[in-house]
Amino acid sequence: MGGRAIVITSGKGGVGKTTTTANIGLGLARHDQKVALVDADIGLRNLDIIMGLENRIVYHLVDVVRGRCQVRQALVKDKRFPQLAMLPASQVDQKEAITPDEMKALIGQLKEDFDFVLIDCPAGIEQGFRNAVAGAEEAIVITTPDVSPVRDADRVIGLLQSSLGEPQLIINRMSTDMVKRGDMLNQQDVLDILAVRLLGIVPEDEEVVVAGNRGSPVVLNEQSRSGKAFDRIVRRILGEDVPIPELNGHGGIMHRLGKLFFRR
Amino acid sequence: MSWGGIVQRFFGTKGSKDEAKGRLQIVLAYDRLGLSADQMEALRKDIMETISRHVAIDTDRVKIDFLQQHPAAVMIEAPVRPRRSGAEEVKPAKESKSETKREEKQEAADMPPHATNG
């Protein structure tokens, strides 16, 4: 019996796939799960720097597939949680360096040793996407509440439905203030458009940038709003029934000033 | 009321998200079908030809709509010319190829965008 292989994808680049992969991975490890993170973005390695593990890489994914090393030699152990490991992408190869079948075999091998295998998918819907999806049996789609990521998410959901079944959605970078002003699609709007199950909402949070700077994903910061949101997502993945809170009450300074003057 | 809401009320502005939602719903209807503008036009022509073989329709007013649902559905509106010659009024006929929304759409279709007839 093996672990669960989940691909984290979005279509559009820059919406937070790698950040989400890192945070869910660390979050799961903190809940005592054995987790392997796979950076499938060959040629554009990034998960390592977000995780703060960039100085520990010896071998990478393509080395493993080509038989230049064993999987366990390429896996980089996390410095915070020994039950968490990362398989880095190659920085010198192209997406075409591996095939979906090779990826499937690799993920199958990892599933034997880990409870969760999280696959960080590259942007786009070409070969890199097909590779990343090949070994997974579940999918999480990330979007932000903007028109182009939502459109691309719809495309990816369509592609996943034909191969993996119903994916779950994370809405990233939701701004409470903009939603209140009616200048940002809210949770219900996005769900009306995409018609998928919602796994969680992550609020816009400067702490995510700070966490990236430090190589210490925000889920480790229990004071941060986004960190708490990621932890709720992790608990939902583990089967806990955690309600999704409506984003409110954390307005910016203008909002607080408004409250002060208008008493509501 | 939020500060943003107050500003909006004061200046009489409306948030942009409704526009985003509307535009996305239209663009996704096309995306989901995987049809280009040319293919759409070809579909329109074929449909008009097929219907015209059986009834006289007002070809300028044929409309093709996509219903937001899973799976997506196509609704065709083809106003039929009345048989008695001389009558100006054009009565719309509906051909709905929807699985579930047929009844609802029928209601909406009872109020077609009337052409002004003098």
Side-chain angles (χ1 to χ4, degrees):
Chain A
M1 104 149 260
R4 288 165 65 183
I6 307 175
V7 63
I8 291 149
T9 182
S10 69
K12 184 95 184 139
V15 298
K17 281 181 298 294
T18 303
T19 304
T20 303
T21 308
N23 279 294
I24 293 179
L26 272 164
L28 284 167
R30 210 171 46 179
H31 286 271
D32 298 322
Q33 302 294 312
K34 287 183 74 178
V35 184
L37 305 180
V38 178
D39 189 347
D41 200 347
I42 296 170
L44 292 169
R45 177 197 286 171
N46 268 322
L47 187 58
D48 57 338
I49 197 158
I50 293 294
M51 292 286 293
L53 301 174
E54 69 274 19
N55 293 328
R56 303 178 169 213
I57 296 172
V58 183
Y59 294 107
H60 52 69
L61 194 151
V62 177
D63 287 332
V64 178
V65 171
R66 290 282 146 268
R68 294 192 281 254
C69 68
Q70 298 292 312
V71 186
R72 57 179 168 71
Q73 289 176 287
L75 282 170
V76 179
K77 239 190 198 148
D78 186 76
K79 48 195 177 189
R80 294 146 291 210
F81 297 98
Q83 68 274 33
L84 175 65
M86 176 196 64
L87 182 58
S90 162
Q91 189 68 320
V92 293
D93 293 285
Q94 309 263 314
K95 310 276 186 240
E96 294 76 22
I98 59 166
T99 66
D101 281 344
E102 286 169 334
M103 191 70 173
K104 209 171 169 176
L106 173 67
I107 302 298
Q109 200 180 339
L110 288 169
K111 274 161 65 180
E112 288 171 18
D113 293 330
F114 293 90
D115 301 318
F116 284 90
V117 180
L118 303 184
I119 305 149
D120 183 18
C121 181
I125 49 172
E126 299 83 17
Q127 169 103 41
F129 170 80
R130 288 195 293 274
N131 282 341
V133 169
E137 64 268 353
E138 296 174 52
I140 295 173
V141 173
I142 317 285
T143 188
T144 59
D146 309 298
V147 288
S148 53
V150 170
R151 183 186 192 175
D152 290 358
D154 187 79
R155 184 91 169 86
V156 163
I157 289 165
L159 292 171
L160 290 168
Q161 278 168 338
S162 57
S163 55
L164 284 184
E166 205 61 41
Q168 298 196 69
L169 184 76
I170 292 178
I171 308 173
N172 195 16
R173 294 204 204 132
M174 189 74 106
S175 157
T176 319
D177 275 2
M178 291 197 74
V179 166
K180 280 185 176 162
R181 281 207 304 270
D183 271 330
M184 181 177 271
L185 295 168
N186 63 32
Q187 159 183 346
Q188 195 51 49
D189 293 327
V190 176
L191 292 181
D192 284 348
I193 294 165
L194 295 178
V196 280
R197 222 167 86 213
L198 185 65
L199 180 60
I201 296 179
V202 181
E204 172 81 67
D205 187 359
E206 291 180 358
E207 289 298 327
V208 174
V209 179
V210 177
N213 291 345
R214 300 210 165 111
S216 171
V218 78
V219 73
L220 299 174
N221 177 355
E222 285 164 33
Q223 308 305 314
S224 68
R225 295 202 298 143
S226 54
K228 286 179 195 161
F230 277 121
D231 188 61
R232 285 194 292 271
I233 287 169
V234 163
R235 278 152 48 209
R236 284 181 207 117
I237 292 173
L238 289 170
E240 216 179 297
D241 186 17
V242 186
I244 294 173
E246 288 279 339
L247 286 183
N248 52 30
H250 296 276
I253 182 135
M254 291 306 273
H255 177 66
R256 284 198 289 272
L257 267 175
K259 269 187 169 168
L260 198 68
F261 289 125
F262 295 98
R263 295 265 167 236
R264 274 193 79 182
Chain B
M1 176 183 284
S2 72
W3 177 249
I6 287 157
V7 170
Q8 263 174 42
R9 181 169 285 192
F10 192 76
F11 293 104
T13 55
K14 194 167 174 270
S16 56
K17 71 115 174 172
D18 292 331
E19 212 176 320
K21 191 174 182 181
R23 289 174 60 223
L24 270 169
Q25 281 174 331
I26 291 167
V27 86
L28 288 183
Y30 286 87
D31 286 357
R32 283 172 187 164
L33 288 167
L35 287 180
S36 68
D38 283 354
Q39 288 169 313
M40 272 297 300
E41 191 47 41
L43 171 67
R44 211 177 90 92
K45 261 183 77 184
D46 281 357
I47 287 166
M48 286 196 320
E49 268 175 36
T50 308
I51 299 175
S52 300
R53 237 177 279 145
H54 304 281
V55 282
I57 52 169
D58 188 346
T59 48
D60 293 339
R61 287 173 56 195
V62 171
K63 259 178 65 188
I64 301 179
D65 281 327
F66 295 96
L67 305 182
Q68 276 292 317
Q69 59 184 56
H70 284 286
V74 187
M75 194 186 87
I76 299 144
E77 188 176 318
V80 176
R81 289 185 191 282
R83 272 178 62 182
R84 272 172 297 167
S85 54
E88 277 294 300
E89 203 188 331
V90 179
K91 193 182 176 192
K94 304 289 168 273
E95 293 213 356
S96 174
K97 198 187 164 293
S98 148
E99 278 116 313
T100 56
K101 293 267 172 86
R102 181 181 284 236
E103 295 306 316
E104 273 173 44
K105 268 291 165 185
Q106 207 63 42
E107 269 173 42
D110 288 342
M111 295 171 286
H114 280 297
T116 38
N117 46 0

